[in-house]
Amino acid sequence: MTVSRALNGRPGVAGSTRQRVLAAAAALGYRPNKQASRLRTGKPDGLVGLVLATLADPLIASLTVGVEQTCAENGARIVLASSNGDPATEGDLIADLVARGVDGLIVVPAGDDHTHLNVGQRSGVPLVLARCPPAGVVADCVVVDEARGAYRACRHLFEQGHRRIGFLGSTRSWAGSERFRGYHLAHGHAEVAVDDRMVCRAREVAEVAENAARGMLTSADPPSALLVAGPSSLLGVLRAVAAQPPVAVVGFDVECADVVPYPLGVVSHDSVELGRAAAGLLFDQRRPSAAPRQVTIETSLVQTGPAPK
Amino acid sequence: MTVSRALNGRPGVAGSTRQRVLAAAAALGYRPNKQASRLRTGKPDGLVGLVLATLADPLIASLTVGVEQTCAENGARIVLASSNGDPATEGDLIADLVARGVDGLIVVPAGDDHTHLNVGQRSGVPLVLARCPPAGVVADCVVVDEARGAYRACRHLFEQGHRRIGFLGSTRSWAGSERFRGYHLAHGHAEVAVDDRMVCRAREVAEVAENAARGMLTSADPPSALLVAGPSSLLGVLRAVAAQPPVAVVGFDVECADVVPYPLGVVSHDSVELGRAAAGLLFDQRRPSAAPRQVTIETSLVQTGPAPK
DNA sequence: CTGTTAGCGCGTTCAC
DNA sequence: GTGAACGCGCTAACAG
């Protein structure tokens, strides 16, 4: 129809006709059906699927803000879904989103293996992983430089004269293992040996970390600083060290750090920027054959309250 | 096609044929195109538009969690968009979402007037407002019982023996004005006169509230308690009252309240539940002619730290 | 510059 | 129990 041309601003329509069409459309509140349009053209219609492992974690949820910003700039919308930490649900969601015709997919994976994410790949829908590198699937990704964050934290502590740094937190997740890797690297470069008795890589439970920290601090040769890789572990550690600061504590991604009644070093990053980068990878169309890209978000180290000696 | 019947579990297909179809679909990774399906049937395909005034405010963003839960239970997905506090953008987004074929719309409005939300109404798309009652549009809504929250807070203070309660915070927003209304109601029922010198309804700026609170507390007849209706105002008030508690302070929707170095009464509500209720209204299809429904979310009052005398 | 024909992928309807 | 024809709303390609 001429109407289609007029509304889409295509050439080949008389100015007067165009006016009449636009006027009529406005009067009737007419809106072209984007789904039918896409069905015919096959072209992307600006829908990005966002699958999060959880919506409850503010750190993960805040990445939505960045994704939304970049999507809005590109005239796209987000279809949001939560896998609730279940990889099977994750697979179903991706299949559903692909069936709904999303142009791209951003996923914060629930598990370590991402083979099931191929469901979308086969349909030719671009995939970007957020917060961890791909495993079992080829895809672009945006990750936080956790290892360097931990490395810098340790170096900072070494420069302050610390020689025995304890490590607490699960290393089962990608982030946890990277933090542990950075911890090791820093020790290597500083030529300080890692004492396994100062390392507790148990699962993320406050009580476990609390006991482990107590054990380290009351041992014959206690650490003067603690690097705490997980949120629950940090809770436990803070209970163990109580209000008095005889030991330097560094944590990751702590919210309201400046209201914690204990001086704290915090390694953090810009989660909104991470979201923007992820969406950016999607819109910055990659050639299907090119090598997968990886964007790295840097961390910063901030000290709250007076640093304990 | 027989394929269509088989995949949709319709009768009239031989068991053996059905098996072959399902097997082939699985092998090819075939997914029916939901858009084409909807185009043909005209039936809802499980897409809910969620338009938020802002994604940055955790209180508003957390309602997404509840909406997602209820949507997931009903096999629906969320299309998320932020109006960034701009009513014009809000109108555009709604039009866009309607064109995308959403079955319903949940909106946390950016402004006080909602006339522009009619864009969607005319297309017959159900609308639910969240966090404020409709103004200039007929729609269901879910609101927090702000007035009763303020009322209860005041009554609690009266029961503790307080007789002069100051009020600080903007009353321009719906929530603010409701809180002020509750403050007035409580005074009426307790037969305590409201002293206008104990009321500062200025806009939400920490410094303004800080100065106002200082003024009240250093006046000839100072209040012994303060009801603070806005987040920025609370920041200012807390600065004014410093660390010592000679005055009872009650705020609204305070996060990390238990780490604020001052005993605090907090009126709060379940924002996730609010989201669930909003989505619930959408799925619990209303007859087009029926009167608009309003769901009210109750508040709770919690005291952190020791209550000052 | 405008209208016509055809078909995107699906489901309804009605023959077979 | 199965398949053919038709149309949902839209647009690409060609006629007028």
Side-chain angles (χ1 to χ4, degrees), chain B residues 158-172:
Chain B
F158 286 140
E159 284 168 358
Q160 289 197 323
H162 295 281
R163 275 296 166 273
R164 282 178 77 70
I165 307 176
F167 180 96
L168 295 104
S170 164
T171 56
R172 271 216 59 196

Side-chain angles (χ1 to χ4, degrees), chain A residues 45-46 77-78 96 100 256, chain B residues 45-46 77 80 96 100 256:
Chain A
D45 63 343
R77 306 279 163 251
I78 298 171
D96 180 70
R100 292 192 127 93
C256 343
Chain B
D45 63 343
R77 306 278 164 253
L80 183 68
D96 181 71
R100 291 192 129 95
C256 341

Side-chain angles (χ1 to χ4, degrees), chain A residues 29 31-32 34-35 38-39 45-47 55 64 68 77-80 82 93 95-96 99-101 122 256 259, chain B residues 29 31-32 34-35 38-39 45-46 55 64 68 77-80 82 93 95-96 99-101 122 256 259:
Chain A
R31 292 269 151 189
K34 286 212 177 197
Q35 311 185 92
R38 179 174 152 89
L39 184 60
D45 63 343
L47 258 195
L55 264 170
T64 306
E68 199 279 333
R77 306 279 163 251
I78 298 171
V79 184
L80 183 67
S82 166
L93 287 175
D96 180 70
R100 292 192 127 93
R122 287 197 305 207
C256 343
V259 286
Chain B
R31 290 271 151 189
K34 286 213 178 199
Q35 313 186 88
R38 178 174 153 89
L39 185 60
D45 63 343
L55 264 169
T64 306
E68 200 277 334
R77 306 278 164 253
I78 298 172
V79 184
L80 183 68
S82 165
L93 286 175
D96 181 71
R100 291 192 129 95
R122 287 198 305 208
C256 341
V259 286

Side-chain angles (χ1 to χ4, degrees), chain B residues 211-235:
Chain B
N211 289 332
R214 283 237 167 73
M216 292 181 195
L217 295 171
T218 56
S219 68
D221 192 4
S224 65
L226 298 175
L227 183 67
V228 191
S232 300
S233 295
L234 185 61
L235 237 64

Side-chain angles (χ1 to χ4, degrees), chain A:
Chain A
M1 290 232 192
T2 300
V3 175
S4 175
R5 284 189 269 255
L7 291 175
N8 293 359
R10 301 292 197 77
V13 183
S16 61
T17 314
R18 185 177 303 255
Q19 293 307 323
R20 279 170 43 222
V21 170
L22 294 178
L28 297 169
Y30 171 82
R31 292 269 151 189
N33 182 327
K34 286 212 177 197
Q35 311 185 92
S37 170
R38 179 174 152 89
L39 184 60
R40 181 68 182 94
T41 62
K43 281 173 192 162
D45 63 343
L47 258 195
V48 170
L50 179 59
V51 180
L52 303 181
T54 173
L55 264 170
D57 182 344
L59 199 69
I60 293 185
S62 63
L63 139 179
T64 306
V65 179
V67 174
E68 199 279 333
Q69 286 176 5
T70 302
C71 282
E73 288 165 10
N74 291 73
R77 306 279 163 251
I78 298 171
V79 184
L80 183 67
S82 166
S83 62
N84 291 316
D86 178 24
T89 305
E90 194 171 84
D92 291 345
L93 287 175
I94 289 174
D96 180 70
L97 293 177
V98 169
R100 292 192 127 93
V102 295
D103 309 327
L105 235 24
I106 299 174
V107 179
V108 179
D112 296 324
D113 180 61
H114 308 141
T115 314
H116 58 287
L117 300 186
N118 276 307
V119 188
Q121 295 286 85
R122 287 197 305 207
S123 318
V125 177
L127 173 66
V128 174
L129 295 194
R131 299 216 101 91
C132 69
V137 63
V138 289
D140 293 344
C141 72
V142 183
V143 294
V144 176
D145 202 338
E146 306 284 2
R148 200 192 304 197
Y151 180 93
R152 281 189 188 157
C154 289
R155 198 180 58 187
H156 176 73
L157 291 169
F158 287 140
E159 284 168 359
Q160 289 196 324
H162 294 282
R163 276 297 166 273
R164 280 178 80 70
I165 306 177
F167 180 97
L168 294 104
S170 164
T171 55
R172 270 216 59 196
S173 70
W174 178 81
S177 65
E178 282 293 292
R179 289 166 187 175
F180 189 58
R181 194 165 66 81
Y183 168 83
H184 257 277
L185 271 172
H187 279 74
H189 287 184
E191 300 188 344
V192 176
V194 170
D195 183 345
D196 284 343
R197 290 168 304 181
M198 299 292 107
V199 171
C200 168
R201 301 165 60 181
R203 60 193 209 287
E204 281 296 309
V205 177
E207 286 68 27
V208 174
E210 182 176 355
N211 289 332
R214 282 236 167 76
M216 291 181 194
L217 295 171
T218 56
S219 68
D221 191 4
S224 65
L226 297 175
L227 184 67
V228 190
S232 301
S233 296
L234 185 61
L235 236 64
V237 167
L238 286 177
R239 270 189 237 148
V241 299
Q244 302 305 324
V247 52
V249 177
V250 178
F252 289 79
D253 306 323
V254 185
E255 303 173 87
C256 343
D258 29 48
V259 286
V260 171
Y262 194 94
L264 212 57
V266 177
V267 179
S268 60
H269 64 273
D270 187 341
S271 192
V272 174
E273 177 60 29
L274 196 149
R276 271 198 296 261
L281 283 175
L282 225 44
F283 290 113
D284 181 15
Q285 287 295 358
R286 173 166 70 102
R287 294 188 310 275
S289 60
R293 299 168 293 180
Q294 174 165 326
V295 172
T296 304
I297 304 290
E298 284 308 320
T299 61
S300 61
L301 176 61
V302 177
Q303 181 69 41
T304 74
K309 184 68 208 322

